[in-house]
Amino acid sequence: MINLTINGEPHELDVDPTTPLLWVIREQAGLNGTKFGCGIAQCGACTVHLNGSPIRSCRTPVQAVAGKEITTIEGVGSIDGELHPVQQAWIDEQVPQCGYCQSGQVMSAVALLARNPSPSDRDIDLAMSGNVCRCGTYPRIRRGIKKAAIAMNGAADSGEKING
């Protein structure tokens, strides 16, 4: 048995300890927002937070995360259903096109803003470089992150123009 905390909820699971966390999240916990993309930790579609830091769940064995706090896209907003500022900015900026990569994109953006509340374009590009968007919505992603940074910091400037 492996004990996990996913989005604040305890889970005691009878799974092979080498099973990738992604499949435990999707098949055992029933949370389907985290996506399978490449299976080799290169595309970022499977990004979740482990104790607040982004990780690729497709290559992380569940035994490595036992007893740690896992947050998926379903756990990013507030308990009362209010969207996280990144999620709201994604809607406002119409970031998704096909949408498949977006849960991983949001998870990486949330982690970025948690550690750097006023990122520059370079900071954003570096933090998001592990998340691939086949539709190419990178300019919208950057605008969304800047908009979320402003929302989270009040009137604080995100370092550069929002349209940049």
Side-chain angles (χ1 to χ4, degrees):
M1 298 302 278
I2 295 189
N3 293 307
L4 300 176
T5 302
I6 304 173
N7 300 330
E9 298 288 324
H11 294 267
E12 185 175 57
L13 304 167
D14 186 12
V15 296
D16 179 333
T18 63
T19 304
L21 176 60
L22 171 65
W23 300 117
V24 171
I25 290 169
R26 291 181 60 81
E27 295 175 359
Q28 305 296 318
L31 300 169
N32 295 317
T34 304
K35 303 299 184 202
F36 174 79
C38 66
I40 58 172
Q42 296 296 305
C43 75
C46 69
T47 302
V48 298
H49 293 174
L50 179 64
N51 292 340
S53 295
I55 64 162
R56 305 297 190 251
S57 63
C58 72
R59 298 293 290 175
T60 303
V62 72
Q63 67 190 359
V65 299
K68 298 178 180 166
E69 178 64 35
I70 299 154
T71 305
T72 69
I73 189 69
E74 292 90 349
V76 170
S78 68
I79 294 171
D80 65 359
E82 185 176 330
L83 296 175
H84 186 281
V86 169
Q87 293 170 308
Q88 187 60 56
W90 251 232
I91 293 167
D92 295 346
E93 294 297 321
Q94 299 179 19
V95 171
Q97 195 166 33
C98 84
Y100 196 82
C101 70
Q102 294 305 312
S103 62
Q105 299 278 2
V106 167
M107 297 304 289
S108 291
V110 167
L112 165 63
L113 293 176
R115 70 180 179 274
N116 181 353
S118 297
S120 67
D121 282 349
R122 180 167 163 69
D123 296 332
I124 292 169
D125 293 347
L126 287 171
M128 302 303 290
S129 65
N131 292 82
V132 177
C133 175
R134 289 195 269 172
C135 299
T137 65
Y138 300 112
R140 293 185 211 169
I141 289 168
R142 187 186 289 163
R143 282 194 312 268
I145 291 170
K146 289 179 179 187
K147 185 172 194 135
I150 291 168
M152 293 170 71
N153 296 321
D157 189 324
S158 68
E160 299 185 32
K161 299 185 317 187
I162 200 164
N163 292 330

